[in-house]
Amino acid sequence: MKKYIAVFLVFCLLSIALIGCSKDTSKEQTEDGKVILTGLILKHPLTKNIAEMEWLQEAEERAGVSIKWEEVSADWDQKKGAMLAGGDIPDLIVGPNAITDADFAKFPGLFQDLTELIAEHGPNVQTMFHEKPETEIIATQLDGEILGLPKYQRFWPETATRQFINKQWLDNLGLDMPTNWDELYQVLKAFKEQDANGNGDPNDEIPMDFAPTGTTGFGFFQPTVLLGSTGMTISGGGGQGYFVEDGQVKNFLIDERYKELVQFLNKLWADDLINSEVFTQDYSSFQSISRGEGSNAKIGYTYGWELTDRFGNELSTQYEPMPQIKVSASSADEVSWSYDYNQLNYGINMVQMSSATKNKEAAMKFINELYDPKVSMQVLFGSIGPNISDNGDGSYSVLPPQDESMDPGTWKWTSTWADNGPMYISDSLELELGTDMQSVDSQTEPLMSAFESIDTVKDVYPGMFVKYTDEDNNKMSLTNTELMNLAMAKYSQWITEGGIETEWDSYVEQLKNIGIEQNIEIMQSYYDDYVSAIQ
């Protein structure tokens, strides 16, 4: 009996010691009277350390919080997978669709339903929902929960991608602006062979360049916009290939017109007309190479947001925006382009809260700060003072870069969260835009005839305005992952090595076996319901 009592006493002492040493996770952490939160921001590689953002420090101060931020600029998908699987997430996650509806379905209970918190502590979010009801539609899951909040940024045009050509090179070589793929090929070939920049070195010109192609789908500033030459209207630069044509959901990854585009790009590659680093460079390299060396341009034809953003202040005057081109001189197809208005002005799942957050009220108060229109314009363009002028009459003006050699687009992405942040830019906010945004409209003008042919209901998938059931979300997500693993690898392989002609039929069969047609059927049913609801 004495032996059992001794063992029991030792067990009790050990238990007391362990309890005394363990961390008390039931209490929130505070520092100088502020609630300590953890946050993760998915930010652009150009963006400076967020500790240097004045507007952010002020927003935290007003909300009574101090946020320990983790900043992620690369390899998010890999990091996210491990983080969600482990269930250990920060209090707040910020970034455009950094956490997707499919993630919500796959990891139920991991994220906080914000519905009641918005009602009690989110007046700015409520205002956004009232003034822009579509934002509440974007935010609300089928079961009525709000697990991620959207954005509305108001000022952006129909597309993110414009195509630019070096007009000075055309003039140097006595060439006309190309109007179809055949003429583009001839122009690029001349750029390569005839010392287009006139510096005496016939080998330093890169006829064509485009943005890095990821492994999960197509995006902005990529040659997929040339699918519009065939009359196809894509969105977001192409995404995972899904598009709508006269009310029918399709996927261009199994469309003969996509095959034709890849064949054209392979022809350009085979003649050394595309940047040899195009499939290995990162975005920073893509941007820097277009800036050339002083007044000596390196790139002939490329894609981008705006002239100064793409080429810098010194070289931008050499380039001109182009209208969409036809496949051939004899083509009767009515050309189109990438329609990105919804993706540019709205955003899905821009910020989420962990369901394990200790002080949800404090976290919601900070989120609410981000949706104050005055704060939102700083989320987008940078802090009042260095980036934005307060005109003293209730109006504001975006300032030019403090560094005169820097273009306004780079200045924005360097200074703040920019398009990657949660925000609500109210239609009533009086804000004079910077020179780059003022010029975006004029640089979009050459593409307007292509947009005139687009029916935004019959030719555009509603995307973020559609909410899928968990079952359909999981099914499509798994299928799309497998589809992208094959399709994106083949895309780069076929451009650089060729072979699409002999492999096309078996490739299409593989995608069908993976389930691309089933995904199209699912999306068609949701699209039909959406169209019925808005008519």
Coordinates of all heavy atoms in Angstrom, one line a residue, residues 68-118:
K68 N 1.5 40.3 -35.5 CA 2.8 39.8 -35.8 C 2.6 39.1 -37.2 O 2.0 38.1 -37.3 CB 3.2 38.7 -34.8 CG 3.1 39.2 -33.3 CD 4.0 40.4 -33.1 CE 4.0 40.9 -31.6 NZ 4.7 42.1 -31.4
W69 N 3.1 39.8 -38.2 CA 2.9 39.4 -39.6 C 3.9 38.4 -40.1 O 5.1 38.6 -39.9 CB 2.8 40.6 -40.5 CG 1.6 41.5 -40.3 CD1 1.6 42.7 -39.6 CD2 0.3 41.3 -40.8 NE1 0.3 43.2 -39.7 CE2 -0.5 42.3 -40.4 CE3 -0.2 40.3 -41.6 CZ2 -1.8 42.4 -40.8 CZ3 -1.6 40.3 -42.0 CH2 -2.4 41.4 -41.5
E70 N 3.5 37.5 -40.9 CA 4.4 36.7 -41.7 C 4.1 37.1 -43.1 O 2.9 37.1 -43.6 CB 4.1 35.2 -41.5 CG 4.9 34.3 -42.4 CD 4.6 32.8 -42.3 OE1 3.7 32.4 -41.4 OE2 5.2 32.0 -43.0
E71 N 5.2 37.4 -43.9 CA 5.0 37.8 -45.3 C 5.4 36.8 -46.3 O 6.5 36.2 -46.2 CB 5.9 39.1 -45.5 CG 5.5 40.2 -44.4 CD 6.4 41.4 -44.5 OE1 6.7 41.8 -45.6 OE2 6.8 41.9 -43.4
V72 N 4.5 36.4 -47.2 CA 4.8 35.3 -48.1 C 4.7 35.9 -49.6 O 3.7 36.5 -49.9 CB 3.8 34.2 -48.0 CG1 4.0 33.1 -49.0 CG2 3.8 33.6 -46.6
S73 N 5.8 35.7 -50.3 CA 5.8 36.2 -51.7 C 6.0 35.1 -52.7 O 6.0 35.3 -53.9 CB 6.9 37.2 -51.9 OG 6.6 38.4 -51.1
A74 N 6.2 33.8 -52.3 CA 6.5 32.7 -53.2 C 6.1 31.4 -52.5 O 6.0 31.3 -51.3 CB 7.9 32.7 -53.6
D75 N 5.8 30.4 -53.4 CA 5.6 29.0 -52.9 C 4.4 28.9 -52.0 O 4.4 28.1 -51.1 CB 6.8 28.4 -52.3 CG 8.0 28.4 -53.2 OD1 7.8 28.2 -54.4 OD2 9.1 28.7 -52.8
W76 N 3.4 29.8 -52.2 CA 2.2 29.8 -51.3 C 1.5 28.4 -51.3 O 1.1 27.9 -50.2 CB 1.3 30.9 -51.6 CG 0.0 30.9 -50.9 CD1 -1.3 30.8 -51.4 CD2 -0.2 30.8 -49.4 NE1 -2.2 30.8 -50.4 CE2 -1.6 30.8 -49.2 CE3 0.6 30.8 -48.3 CZ2 -2.2 30.7 -47.9 CZ3 0.1 30.7 -47.1 CH2 -1.3 30.7 -46.9
D77 N 1.3 27.9 -52.5 CA 0.5 26.7 -52.5 C 1.1 25.5 -51.7 O 0.4 24.8 -51.0 CB 0.3 26.2 -54.0 CG -0.6 27.1 -54.8 OD1 -1.5 27.7 -54.1 OD2 -0.5 27.1 -56.0
Q78 N 2.4 25.4 -51.8 CA 3.1 24.4 -51.0 C 3.0 24.7 -49.5 O 2.7 23.8 -48.7 CB 4.5 24.3 -51.4 CG 4.8 23.7 -52.8 CD 4.7 24.8 -53.8 OE1 4.2 25.9 -53.6 NE2 5.3 24.5 -55.0
K79 N 3.2 25.9 -49.1 CA 3.1 26.3 -47.7 C 1.7 26.1 -47.2 O 1.4 25.6 -46.1 CB 3.5 27.7 -47.5 CG 3.5 28.2 -46.1 CD 4.0 29.7 -46.0 CE 4.0 30.1 -44.5 NZ 4.8 29.3 -43.6
K80 N 0.7 26.6 -48.0 CA -0.7 26.5 -47.6 C -1.1 25.0 -47.3 O -1.8 24.8 -46.3 CB -1.6 27.1 -48.6 CG -3.1 27.1 -48.3 CD -3.9 27.8 -49.3 CE -4.1 27.0 -50.6 NZ -5.1 27.6 -51.5
G81 N -0.7 24.1 -48.2 CA -1.2 22.8 -48.1 C -0.7 22.2 -46.7 O -1.5 21.5 -46.0
A82 N 0.5 22.4 -46.4 CA 1.0 21.9 -45.1 C 0.4 22.6 -43.9 O 0.0 21.9 -42.9 CB 2.5 22.1 -45.0
M83 N 0.1 23.9 -44.0 CA -0.5 24.6 -42.9 C -1.9 24.2 -42.7 O -2.3 24.0 -41.5 CB -0.4 26.1 -43.3 CG -0.9 27.0 -42.2 SD -0.8 28.8 -42.7 CE -2.1 28.8 -43.9
L84 N -2.7 24.1 -43.7 CA -4.1 23.7 -43.5 C -4.2 22.2 -43.0 O -5.0 21.9 -42.2 CB -4.8 23.8 -44.8 CG -5.0 25.3 -45.4 CD1 -5.8 25.3 -46.6 CD2 -5.6 26.2 -44.3
A85 N -3.3 21.4 -43.6 CA -3.4 20.0 -43.1 C -3.1 19.8 -41.7 O -3.6 19.0 -41.0 CB -2.4 19.1 -44.0
G86 N -2.1 20.7 -41.2 CA -1.8 20.7 -39.8 C -2.7 21.4 -38.9 O -2.7 21.2 -37.7
G87 N -3.6 22.2 -39.5 CA -4.7 22.9 -38.7 C -4.1 24.0 -37.9 O -4.8 24.6 -37.1
D88 N -2.9 24.4 -38.1 CA -2.2 25.5 -37.3 C -2.1 26.7 -38.2 O -1.2 26.9 -39.0 CB -0.8 25.1 -36.9 CG -0.2 26.1 -36.0 OD1 -0.9 27.0 -35.5 OD2 1.1 26.0 -35.8
I89 N -3.1 27.6 -38.1 CA -3.2 28.8 -39.0 C -3.1 30.0 -38.2 O -3.6 30.0 -37.0 CB -4.4 28.7 -39.9 CG1 -5.7 28.8 -39.0 CG2 -4.5 27.5 -40.8 CD1 -7.0 29.0 -39.9
P90 N -2.7 31.1 -38.7 CA -2.7 32.4 -38.0 C -4.1 33.0 -37.8 O -5.0 32.5 -38.4 CB -1.8 33.3 -38.9 CG -1.9 32.8 -40.2 CD -2.1 31.3 -40.1
D91 N -4.2 34.0 -37.0 CA -5.5 34.6 -36.7 C -6.1 35.2 -38.0 O -7.3 35.0 -38.2 CB -5.4 35.7 -35.7 CG -5.0 35.2 -34.3 OD1 -5.6 34.2 -33.9 OD2 -4.1 35.7 -33.7
L92 N -5.3 35.8 -38.8 CA -5.8 36.4 -40.0 C -4.9 35.9 -41.2 O -3.7 35.8 -41.1 CB -5.7 37.9 -39.9 CG -6.5 38.6 -38.8 CD1 -6.2 40.0 -38.7 CD2 -8.0 38.4 -39.0
I93 N -5.5 35.7 -42.4 CA -4.8 35.4 -43.6 C -5.3 36.4 -44.6 O -6.6 36.5 -44.9 CB -5.1 34.0 -44.1 CG1 -4.5 33.0 -43.0 CG2 -4.4 33.7 -45.4 CD1 -4.7 31.5 -43.4
V94 N -4.4 37.1 -45.3 CA -4.8 38.2 -46.2 C -4.1 37.9 -47.6 O -3.0 37.5 -47.7 CB -4.3 39.5 -45.7 CG1 -4.5 40.6 -46.8 CG2 -4.9 39.9 -44.4
G95 N -4.9 38.0 -48.7 CA -4.4 37.8 -50.0 C -5.5 37.4 -50.9 O -6.5 36.8 -50.5
P96 N -5.4 37.7 -52.2 CA -6.5 37.3 -53.2 C -6.7 35.9 -53.3 O -5.9 35.1 -53.9 CB -6.0 38.0 -54.5 CG -4.5 38.1 -54.3 CD -4.3 38.3 -52.9
N97 N -7.9 35.4 -52.8 CA -8.2 34.0 -52.8 C -7.1 33.1 -52.3 O -6.9 32.0 -52.8 CB -8.6 33.6 -54.3 CG -9.7 32.5 -54.3 OD1 -10.4 32.3 -53.3 ND2 -9.7 31.7 -55.4
A98 N -6.4 33.6 -51.3 CA -5.3 32.8 -50.7 C -5.9 31.6 -50.1 O -5.3 30.5 -50.2 CB -4.6 33.7 -49.7
I99 N -7.0 31.7 -49.5 CA -7.8 30.6 -49.1 C -9.1 30.5 -49.9 O -9.8 31.5 -50.0 CB -8.2 30.7 -47.6 CG1 -7.0 30.9 -46.7 CG2 -9.0 29.5 -47.1 CD1 -6.0 29.7 -46.7
T100 N -9.3 29.4 -50.6 CA -10.3 29.3 -51.6 C -11.6 28.6 -51.0 O -11.6 28.0 -49.9 CB -9.9 28.4 -52.8 OG1 -9.7 27.1 -52.3 CG2 -8.6 28.9 -53.4
D101 N -12.7 28.7 -51.7 CA -13.9 28.0 -51.3 C -13.7 26.5 -51.2 O -14.2 25.9 -50.3 CB -15.0 28.3 -52.3 CG -15.6 29.7 -52.2 OD1 -15.3 30.4 -51.2 OD2 -16.4 30.1 -53.0
A102 N -12.8 26.0 -52.1 CA -12.5 24.6 -52.0 C -11.8 24.3 -50.7 O -12.0 23.2 -50.1 CB -11.6 24.2 -53.2
D103 N -10.9 25.2 -50.2 CA -10.2 25.0 -49.0 C -11.2 25.0 -47.8 O -11.1 24.2 -46.9 CB -9.2 26.1 -48.7 CG -8.0 26.0 -49.7 OD1 -7.7 24.9 -50.1 OD2 -7.5 27.1 -50.0
F104 N -12.2 25.9 -47.9 CA -13.2 25.9 -46.8 C -14.0 24.5 -46.8 O -14.3 24.0 -45.7 CB -14.3 27.0 -47.1 CG -13.7 28.4 -47.0 CD1 -14.2 29.4 -47.9 CD2 -12.7 28.7 -46.1 CE1 -13.7 30.7 -47.8 CE2 -12.2 30.0 -46.0 CZ -12.7 31.0 -46.8
A105 N -14.3 24.0 -48.0 CA -15.0 22.7 -48.0 C -14.1 21.6 -47.5 O -14.6 20.7 -46.9 CB -15.4 22.5 -49.5
K106 N -12.8 21.6 -47.8 CA -12.0 20.5 -47.5 C -11.6 20.6 -46.0 O -11.3 19.5 -45.4 CB -10.7 20.6 -48.3 CG -9.8 19.4 -48.2 CD -8.6 19.5 -49.1 CE -7.7 18.3 -49.0 NZ -6.5 18.4 -49.9
F107 N -11.6 21.8 -45.4 CA -11.1 21.9 -44.0 C -12.2 22.6 -43.2 O -12.1 23.7 -42.7 CB -9.8 22.7 -43.9 CG -8.7 22.0 -44.6 CD1 -8.3 22.4 -45.9 CD2 -8.0 21.0 -44.0 CE1 -7.3 21.8 -46.6 CE2 -6.9 20.4 -44.7 CZ -6.6 20.8 -46.0
P108 N -13.4 22.0 -43.0 CA -14.5 22.6 -42.3 C -14.2 22.9 -40.9 O -13.5 22.1 -40.2 CB -15.6 21.5 -42.4 CG -14.9 20.2 -42.6 CD -13.7 20.6 -43.4
G109 N -14.6 24.0 -40.4 CA -14.4 24.4 -39.0 C -13.1 25.1 -38.7 O -12.9 25.6 -37.6
L110 N -12.2 25.2 -39.7 CA -10.9 25.8 -39.5 C -11.0 27.3 -39.5 O -10.2 28.0 -38.8 CB -9.9 25.3 -40.6 CG -8.4 25.5 -40.3 CD1 -8.1 24.8 -39.0 CD2 -7.6 24.9 -41.5
F111 N -12.0 27.9 -40.2 CA -12.2 29.3 -40.4 C -13.4 29.8 -39.7 O -14.5 29.1 -39.7 CB -12.1 29.7 -41.9 CG -10.8 29.4 -42.5 CD1 -10.5 28.2 -43.1 CD2 -9.7 30.3 -42.4 CE1 -9.3 27.9 -43.7 CE2 -8.5 30.0 -42.9 CZ -8.2 28.8 -43.6
Q112 N -13.4 31.0 -39.2 CA -14.5 31.6 -38.5 C -15.6 32.1 -39.4 O -15.3 32.8 -40.4 CB -13.9 32.8 -37.7 CG -15.0 33.6 -36.9 CD -15.6 32.7 -35.8 OE1 -15.0 31.9 -35.2 NE2 -16.9 33.0 -35.5
D113 N -16.8 31.8 -39.1 CA -18.0 32.4 -39.7 C -18.1 33.8 -39.2 O -18.2 34.1 -38.0 CB -19.3 31.6 -39.4 CG -20.5 32.3 -40.0 OD1 -20.4 33.2 -40.8 OD2 -21.6 31.8 -39.6
L114 N -18.0 34.8 -40.1 CA -17.9 36.2 -39.7 C -19.3 36.9 -39.6 O -19.3 38.1 -39.3 CB -17.0 37.0 -40.7 CG -15.6 36.5 -40.9 CD1 -14.9 37.3 -42.0 CD2 -14.8 36.7 -39.6
T115 N -20.3 36.2 -39.9 CA -21.7 36.8 -40.0 C -22.0 37.7 -38.8 O -22.4 38.8 -38.9 CB -22.7 35.7 -40.3 OG1 -22.4 34.9 -41.4 CG2 -24.1 36.4 -40.6
E116 N -22.0 37.1 -37.6 CA -22.4 37.8 -36.4 C -21.4 38.9 -36.1 O -21.7 40.0 -35.6 CB -22.6 36.8 -35.2 CG -23.8 35.9 -35.4 CD -24.0 35.1 -34.1 OE1 -23.3 35.3 -33.1 OE2 -24.8 34.1 -34.2
L117 N -20.1 38.6 -36.3 CA -19.1 39.6 -36.0 C -19.2 40.8 -36.9 O -19.0 42.0 -36.4 CB -17.7 39.0 -36.2 CG -17.2 38.0 -35.2 CD1 -16.0 37.2 -35.7 CD2 -17.0 38.6 -33.8
I118 N -19.6 40.6 -38.2 CA -19.9 41.8 -39.0 C -21.1 42.6 -38.5 O -21.0 43.8 -38.5 CB -20.1 41.3 -40.5 CG1 -18.9 40.7 -41.1 CG2 -20.7 42.4 -41.4 CD1 -19.1 40.0 -42.4

